[in-house]
Amino acid sequence: MRILFLNHGFNSLSQRLYAELTADGHQLSVEFDIRDSVAEEAVALFVPDVVIAPFLKRAIPPSIWQHCPCLVVHPGIVGDRGPSALDWAIQDGEGEWGVTVLQANGEMDAGDIWASRTFPMRAATKAGLYRREVTESALACVREALSRVDEWRHGRWRPTPLAEAGGRGRQRPSMRQSDRRIDWENDGMTTVLARLRAADGVPGVADALFGERCHLYDAHPGPRDAGGEPGACIARRDGAILRATVDGSVWIGHVRRHGTAPAFKLPATEAFAEHAAALPDRPAALMRAADDYGELHYQESADGRVGFLSFAFYNGAMGTDQCRRLEAAIRSVTERPTRVLVLTGGPEFWSNGIHLARIEAAESAADESWANINAMDDVCAAVIGLTDRLTVAALRGNAGAGGCFLALAADLIWAHPGVVLNPHYRNMGNLYGSEYWTYLLPRRLAAGPARRLIDGRLPVTAGDAAEMGLIDRCFGRAGEDFDVQMRTQAERLAADPALFEQLAAKVARRAADEAAKPLARYREEELARMHRNFYGFDPSYHVARYHFVYKSPQSWTPRHLACHREPGWRRADGAGGGPRGPFAGVAATVAG
Ligand code: COA
């Protein structure tokens, strides 16, 4: 089918659907929701069989839904309506939530129901649930809905009108900050965590720290016996501030300050640097109880042969000091007599590369970019240089840009099928990229496919990545199933007598590669290009980073996504493109 995505932005859910539906054999194109007339042009040019809105903040205009079936993904159970579906579900402590695919009509979220799924809730942020449970359910719903389009067109199947659907969902208003308010004098940890999770990644909970107004994000349970008056800031760790509640404490990882620039979220200790510096530092040991908060965590298999190092950096963004701490952790855990080191990233993201927000906030964005990419390269070098044991990158969450290439530094790369990779840099203002990608990518892909990946700038599912050889294996399901299987596989690897041969081959290969072209030269060449990106005359990277960090509204759809805007685009069935349907006149004007 020819499917047009009408989107607010190309977010993780849209990327996963885009990659999966393309793999299913559909022809996709994307148009960002900029204004009705632009969407109408897109429909006229692409002549879609169906429009899908995976992530849309406004209603689809009647001029489109009256002529073409438009399927809207709503992150709520059957009958639920409103823009804060997940926020209410988390805050109200729902045990089960869901996704519904409705056909757009004149009323928001009130169209006929084409498909729905439910899932058990887990203690996670709104963004975390969205990226995992909502995305998996939405994919199942969209596939089911697409399988009905033909029958629907021929009148052999009809979607269920909302009034007949039953379901316990209801219309809910947009959640306001007054609904999210935390009463530090009375609310316990459970309530505080639920409120903060329901508002994370956006909009955060409006509150105050050190007497200054700010929004809070990225909350984790703290110790029950932390002490301190409710609401008081007690300590700091890994960029987070520990705040007392009536019955314990919570770590607040990120805040967005009001009034003073920068007006985006930053690690709490960076946003309130002076105040935070006065708090006692409570560093987390690498090996500690799993429920004790900290960005880095290390544990070993029962037989001591496998080490698992996780690095749960918020949003997968790795600032200079975070890279330095990770590098130190890698060096420290390799003093342990393990045979296999598994790098597990974070539960939400593996890595998204250098920390664009902290760079934006720095006094010199160019200098901070430079420091950050060098620190990132040092992490990669530490992994590549580990020749006395096998390394595995186990991707529990998505990876983008430099974060993808960090994974390629490991000997083996495993991921579950829900993972989406963006193994390219150019979307960030034509950034050239480093992380030894010019060494690591050709180890896995031939020149043609590698170039297509870098220039194509498209998301790739873990399944496709495994098929093309970019990663080694894709198994399990999102969440704990993958964790369990990944641990078993790693232990098997460490127990395999063939491991020593593999390690000998690894040493020989590294030595041969080094003789052919030293690693330092790859880095030097990549960094020479990055230096131009950061300090050169072309400001594209700085402009793109600014818009990314400040979340500037989209003003056009990139050409690599809007294939219907390519001159002379052709339909996959060879029937040719060109304006058709009710908006043909509009498109002809545009083309003219
Ligand atoms: N630095 C800082 N913040 C980052 C980040 C980075 N490198 N990558 C992602 N984020 C943040 C986003 O701003 C967003 O913040 P929010 O919590 O306020 O919403 C959050 O992480 C989730 O990102 P989002 O873009 O919504 O996730 P996605 O899954 O839809 O898209 C990517 C994933 C990787 C395509 C996209 O995040 C991206 O392009 N990131 C930048 C990658 C990059 O260019 N890195 C630098 C070069 S190495």
Side-chain angles (χ1 to χ4, degrees):
M1 264 183 267
R2 216 161 42 253
I3 301 169
L4 179 71
F5 276 13
L6 187 56
N7 260 11
H8 178 73
F10 200 44
N11 71 342
S12 55
L13 168 61
S14 318
Q15 294 183 19
R16 175 84 189 281
L17 292 179
Y18 180 94
E20 297 278 4
L21 299 184
T22 304
D24 290 349
H26 300 295
Q27 188 181 15
L28 275 91
S29 196
V30 179
E31 186 70 51
F32 289 161
D33 177 33
I34 290 152
R35 53 184 291 177
D36 291 354
S37 61
V38 177
E40 288 169 4
E41 271 167 35
V43 172
L45 288 166
F46 196 53
V47 200
D49 296 306
V50 52
V51 170
I52 298 183
F55 169 49
L56 196 61
K57 295 192 173 177
R58 299 185 321 140
I60 298 175
S63 54
I64 293 181
W65 61 256
Q66 281 171 352
H67 296 282
C68 179
C70 295
L71 303 176
V72 179
V73 177
H74 176 70
I77 50 173
V78 170
D80 179 82
R81 295 177 60 189
S84 306
L86 268 172
D87 311 51
W88 286 116
I90 299 171
Q91 199 149 303
D92 291 351
E94 295 281 356
E96 185 183 78
W97 200 240
V99 171
T100 311
V101 165
L102 317 118
Q103 184 167 359
N105 64 9
E107 239 186 307
M108 201 75 171
D109 301 332
D112 294 352
I113 294 163
W114 282 58
S116 66
R117 291 286 185 283
T118 56
F119 54 81
M121 291 285 268
R122 91 192 134 92
T125 61
K126 173 170 64 166
L129 289 163
Y130 186 82
R131 273 190 291 266
R132 194 186 293 178
E133 284 83 354
V134 169
T135 299
E136 290 299 331
S137 305
L139 177 60
C141 285
V142 166
R143 280 193 169 128
E144 183 184 319
L146 289 177
S147 74
R148 305 275 197 209
V149 170
D150 221 31
E151 287 174 279
W152 172 81
R153 217 181 276 290
H154 293 99
R156 293 198 298 270
W157 178 84
R158 73 173 187 103
T160 313
L162 184 62
E164 293 172 21
R168 63 189 173 86
R170 60 194 166 103
Q171 170 94 49
R172 311 244 20 200
S174 175
M175 193 180 267
R176 294 158 306 175
Q177 279 298 337
S178 54
D179 301 311
R180 302 183 191 273
R181 202 177 75 82
I182 295 172
D183 175 0
W184 291 95
E185 298 295 327
N186 292 297
D187 290 338
M189 282 171 72
T190 311
T191 307
V192 172
L193 286 168
R195 294 200 166 209
L196 284 162
R197 284 172 176 154
D200 204 341
V202 281
V205 173
D207 202 279
L209 275 179
F210 309 108
E212 280 197 45
R213 291 190 319 130
C214 61
H215 279 67
L216 309 180
Y217 307 82
D218 183 23
H220 306 267
R224 286 271 172 199
D225 57 353
E229 291 297 310
C233 295
I234 311 169
R236 65 188 155 92
R237 169 184 294 177
D238 291 357
I241 288 175
L242 185 64
R243 200 164 181 193
T245 61
V246 282
D247 57 350
S249 59
V250 289
W251 290 101
I252 307 287
H254 279 71
V255 303
R256 175 164 59 85
R257 287 181 72 166
H258 291 204
T260 53
F264 45 82
K265 57 179 114 150
L266 285 171
T269 58
E270 187 171 323
F272 287 102
E274 271 180 38
H275 294 284
L279 295 173
D281 190 14
R282 279 201 202 161
L286 268 182
M287 284 176 104
R288 62 182 190 283
D291 60 357
D292 186 5
Y293 168 74
E295 289 179 325
L296 300 167
H297 187 260
Y298 180 71
Q299 60 183 165
E300 288 177 359
S301 58
D303 61 8
R305 288 175 175 156
V306 187
F308 299 91
L309 178 62
S310 68
F311 42 101
F313 299 123
Y314 184 65
N315 282 338
M318 295 171 57
T320 307
D321 61 323
Q322 290 163 311
C323 292
R324 293 278 168 240
R325 280 191 283 115
L326 176 56
E327 185 198 347
I330 292 170
R331 297 204 188 283
S332 123
V333 302
T334 48
E335 278 164 22
R336 309 276 307 173
T338 54
R339 296 174 179 180
V340 174
L341 175 63
V342 187
L343 301 165
T344 62
E348 301 293 339
F349 286 98
W350 157 263
S351 168
N352 278 328
I354 56 176
H355 201 308
L356 299 167
R358 296 180 70 184
I359 289 170
E360 189 63 37
E363 209 170 304
S364 160
D367 288 353
E368 186 50 35
S369 303
W370 184 249
N372 202 163
I373 197 65
N374 273 283
M376 192 74 191
D377 280 358
D378 289 342
V379 175
C380 296
V383 178
I384 297 168
L386 272 181
T387 47
D388 66 339
R389 69 201 72 202
L390 221 54
T391 51
V392 180
L395 275 59
R396 296 181 286 163
N398 297 349
C404 269
F405 296 99
L406 169 60
L408 264 56
D411 302 314
L412 297 170
I413 309 162
W414 300 341
H416 62 75
V419 165
V420 174
L421 305 166
N422 275 282
H424 44 79
Y425 297 90
R426 285 186 45 202
N427 282 343
M428 196 49 63
N430 264 330
L431 201 61
Y432 183 76
S434 191
E435 288 96 4
Y436 300 94
W437 76 266
T438 53
Y439 168 61
L440 298 169
L441 192 58
R443 294 203 310 182
R444 294 193 158 263
L445 296 185
R451 184 59 33 226
R452 278 198 290 282
L453 208 60
I454 291 287
D455 291 344
R457 296 184 278 157
L458 289 172
V460 181
T461 61
D464 286 344
E467 209 165 288
M468 69 172 86
L470 181 67
I471 70 170
D472 296 282
R473 297 190 51 206
C474 174
F475 57 81
R477 292 190 309 273
E480 283 171 19
D481 180 61
F482 174 73
D483 273 22
V484 172
Q485 287 197 44
M486 170 267 284
R487 276 163 204 280
T488 313
Q489 305 280 344
E491 285 171 26
R492 208 171 286 160
L493 206 60
D496 188 346
L499 178 79
F500 298 99
E501 258 173 58
Q502 277 177 279
L503 286 176
K506 174 176 174 175
V507 172
R509 182 177 181 193
R510 182 78 281 281
D513 286 354
E514 189 66 18
K517 179 171 172 178
L519 215 45
R521 213 158 81 231
Y522 287 99
R523 177 168 176 160
E524 212 178 285
E525 289 168 2
E526 290 170 4
L527 288 181
R529 302 287 295 263
M530 289 293 259
H531 197 273
R532 247 182 280 163
N533 289 140
F534 300 156
Y535 295 99
F537 287 114
D538 177 357
S540 301
Y541 155 71
H542 296 292
V543 172
R545 189 195 60 242
Y546 173 90
H547 288 302
F548 178 81
V549 169
Y550 281 97
K551 301 185 192 300
S552 304
Q554 309 284 353
S555 48
W556 55 286
T557 310
R559 275 289 169 88
H560 70 282
L561 296 177
C563 72
H564 54 279
R565 293 193 183 275
E566 277 303 315
W569 77 272
R570 287 286 177 272
R571 282 158 48 186
D573 59 10
R580 288 198 334 205
F583 310 117
V586 179
T589 315
V590 173

